[in-house]
Amino acid sequence: MTRHRSLALTLLIALLPLNAVALEVVATLPDLGALARAVGGADAKVTVLASHRQDPHYVDPRPSLMLPLRSAQLLVVNGLQLEQGWLPPLIRGARNPRVQVGTQGYLDASFFVQRLQVPTARVSRAMGDVHPGGNPHFTHDPRQGARIATALGQRMAQLDPAHAKGYLARAKALATRLNALASRQRARFAKLPAAKRKVVSYHRSLTYLYACLGLTEVTTVEPRPGIPPSPGHTAKVLTTMRQTGARVIAQESFYPRRVSQTLARLAKGRVVVLPGGAGPKETYEARVMRGVEALHAALAR
Amino acid sequence: MPFPVTPADATPTRPDGRAPAGGTPWARPAGRRVARGLATCAFVAAVALAGRASAQPASPAPAPSAAEMEALRRATEGDRAAGRTSPRRPAGGVAPTPVRPPAPGGAAGMASYRAQAMVGAMNPDISLILDVAAGWFSDDKPLQTGAHDPSRTGFTLQQLELHMASAVDPYFELQTNIVFAEFGVEVEEAYARSLSLPAGLQLRAGQFLARLGRQNPTHPHTWAFADQPILNGKMLGSEGLRGLGMELTWLTPLPWYAEVVVSTQMANGACCARSFWGGAALPVRTPFDLMQLVRLQQFFPLDDDWSLTWGLSAALGPNGTGNGRLGSNRTDLFATDLYVRYRPVASRVRAALSWQTEAMLRRRQVPGRQLRDWGLTSQVVWRYALRWEVGVRGEHVTGVVDDPLDPDWSSARQRVSAQWTFYPSHFSRLRLQGSVDRPSWRIAPVYAAFLALEVLIGAHGSHDF
């Protein structure tokens, strides 16, 4: 009897951490994961599906990615069809009614940001890989990060009312910090001579960052989103760089670099490789600053 | 730039970082936003113009020299040949970009375009896939086993597939595949799938491809070769193993991915259940007159780059050789499949190497004896560059003497195929394929060459791993 009782007690203790488990959050992309970690604090356990080293358009929907989704209470997605090629089979396969599209456990970050480049006329695939809802790469902009943090705080508070105060307080503090960071950096970039505030991108994925920092994108290395550059188009890019005086080509780590490097050499400029997302242990602010510093250093040279 | 940036683009975020009321930025009262946007635009434009003026060189920039053009040409080719540019086709499927309804012409566009887009957002995903091929065979009577294979010298319409899918409500989704081919129109798949069952369960009901092995539940659009493996054609059917029925799957709570599938389906159809009742029109009297299937599928992420999927399946049912005693003769089909994929996450190459192997063993009772045959298909596909892929496939399928289904197929048949595919984008592909087919009952091998084209329009859902 005593033995049984002690066994039951041991079992109970073993199960206790499961009962006291934090809010289970799954984020599709590293930046969203970093924001969720900051807002969730110790009250949430955050898992990120995609690696910061890979292009978020192209992630293999490996069945192992369904495992964290099985028990998730909140799924945070970027939206605007960025994850369209790999997320639907994962949601379907995870068989978790709590994170289906349209539920409270499904948070589409694009609902909370100020979208850019929203098509105002009919789109066609002849235009390349365009996103009909607007440019989806908004997590590069800390101001949009602030909006997402706020939305995350509110949603986490709804899902886990016991820790609502903490979520809301952390979200508010983070949003304030991010907006202050954005203002500071905008002012800092404004001090650069106007001639230096011009950038060429590889893909049209840094639009939000430029909007935040007051930079102008003069052209892109890709002729159309997702269409690889041809020699004819790169010649046009080179001419544009020379005409506008833009010297810096910015791109995320997962895009090819040979064309950009050649262009930079010919235009006597340089390539800046920006982070594609927050590292596994990195804060969102640190990741934004990492990119901003690299860009500033290149533009100021 | 094809898209004008909306006025909201230039406005700074509210300092408190709060999302706008209602969560939808475009739903806010427009007046103040437009005014602020215009002012900001004017300012930004002024700054940009000033900047441009100061940055303009005194004389127009010279066009790139011949040497510079050569360097750029080499760089673009280098990025592509090394596969360093983005192949825009995710391994698990296609990233669809649904085309919204057209905006009415003229400047009135925006509001009504958005209104229409909202209406369009309720439409199901609709896509149309065309597969056509030009083929050549060294023999007038090639032995292709798939209903959608290129199967004659000349041109073949492999299929025109109309795929439609949508959530029905929070509880079900509907998936349909209607196929137009040279022989007519067929409902290839049409099933409802549950979305909110508890405990890791999922239910499918309707007409669907049975989950026997890796190849069978898929459509030609995701195949690595222009034709169906002869193993699938012989053991399952020219259209694969499919039928009306229902399926229950369970994602187990184990710490690795392990999925259990059980299904029961009608065992008739010459196209799609040939090892079972096939074309015989027999009445169902007991549950044993249906085909029963079980499958266990497991996935092991060996590391970030390597994946391994392993499946074990069995399909049991009646066959049509009862000789008057209905349903008394049985067919057992056992299958195993292994899929190993290497895709280095960190590399900008986004190349991938996939190895897929399937083996099947079939046991059939026929009057007076038991027939036993087996087969193996193994293929390696290497996505080596931006738009290019190569693959080889080897097949070996045994035969039995006096097989009622394939009287000629008395001993082993082997086929080796190689393919080379060019993907202009992830919505089109051009595939060159050659094969040598050695049926032991024919004097000469059958050589074949195909050039197959596939194009896809519309919104097509993404595929499982």
Side-chain angles (χ1 to χ4, degrees), chain B residues 357-435:
Chain B
T357 299
E358 284 194 57
M360 289 182 207
L361 171 72
R362 178 171 64 172
R363 265 190 337 220
R364 277 171 295 164
Q365 293 174 325
V366 296
R369 59 192 183 125
Q370 192 182 68
L371 307 179
R372 200 182 163 103
D373 52 355
W374 63 275
L376 183 89
T377 307
S378 190
Q379 66 189 41
V380 176
V381 178
W382 179 30
R383 184 69 175 249
Y384 66 92
L386 161 64
R387 294 160 155 178
W388 297 91
E389 168 190 285
V390 286
V392 288
R393 177 180 68 184
E395 300 167 86
H396 177 93
V397 183
T398 65
V400 289
V401 179
D402 291 335
D403 186 332
L405 288 174
D406 303 284
D408 289 340
W409 203 318
S410 53
S411 53
R413 173 177 173 192
Q414 280 134 7
R415 185 169 73 173
V416 176
S417 316
Q419 62 95 334
W420 190 30
T421 306
F422 172 58
Y423 294 94
S425 76
H426 57 253
F427 304 105
S428 58
R429 78 175 176 216
L430 200 57
R431 174 168 287 160
L432 186 65
Q433 183 174 325
S435 62

Side-chain angles (χ1 to χ4, degrees), chain B residues 213-247:
Chain B
R214 262 191 86 76
Q215 175 90 15
N216 188 60
T218 61
H219 299 143
H221 162 56
T222 59
W223 294 355
F225 290 84
D227 50 7
Q228 183 181 259
I230 51 177
L231 175 64
N232 292 55
K234 187 186 186 195
M235 305 273 181
L236 309 179
S238 58
E239 299 267 357
L241 181 61
R242 65 151 201 245
L244 282 159
M246 57 193 292
E247 174 195 85

Side-chain angles (χ1 to χ4, degrees), chain B residues 154-241:
Chain B
F155 295 95
T156 307
L157 168 65
Q158 292 182 263
Q159 63 157 11
L160 176 66
E161 178 186 314
L162 175 64
H163 177 260
M164 285 186 275
S166 176
V168 174
D169 51 28
Y171 315 108
F172 291 105
E173 68 171 8
L174 175 65
Q175 297 268 353
T176 62
N177 247 51
I178 295 163
V179 169
F180 302 78
E182 290 180 1
F183 51 78
V185 182
E186 61 177 1
V187 179
E188 192 179 65
E189 286 199 287
Y191 59 83
R193 174 154 47 194
S194 73
L195 295 176
S196 56
L197 287 187
L201 295 170
Q202 197 163 67
L203 196 69
R204 269 208 297 175
Q207 163 106 328
F208 54 88
L209 288 157
R211 289 191 54 191
L212 186 98
R214 262 191 86 76
Q215 175 90 15
N216 188 60
T218 61
H219 299 143
H221 162 56
T222 59
W223 294 355
F225 290 84
D227 50 7
Q228 183 181 259
I230 51 177
L231 175 64
N232 292 55
K234 187 186 186 195
M235 305 273 181
L236 309 179
S238 58
E239 299 267 357
L241 181 61

Side-chain angles (χ1 to χ4, degrees), chain B residues 299-380:
Chain B
F299 175 84
F300 304 96
L302 305 179
D303 63 19
D304 282 352
D305 303 337
W306 286 89
S307 305
L308 188 152
T309 308
W310 178 43
L312 281 170
S313 337
L316 315 174
N319 70 46
T321 65
N323 203 13
R325 293 162 55 218
L326 290 176
S328 59
N329 278 344
R330 311 281 305 164
T331 295
D332 301 337
L333 258 174
F334 302 100
T336 184
D337 53 274
L338 188 72
Y339 178 63
V340 180
R341 181 173 164 86
Y342 171 65
R343 184 185 162 191
V345 165
S347 104
R348 299 190 298 280
V349 174
R350 249 201 316 276
L353 186 70
S354 309
W355 173 48
Q356 177 175 319
T357 299
E358 284 194 57
M360 289 182 207
L361 171 72
R362 178 171 64 172
R363 265 190 337 220
R364 277 171 295 164
Q365 293 174 325
V366 296
R369 59 192 183 125
Q370 192 182 68
L371 307 179
R372 200 182 163 103
D373 52 355
W374 63 275
L376 183 89
T377 307
S378 190
Q379 66 189 41
V380 176

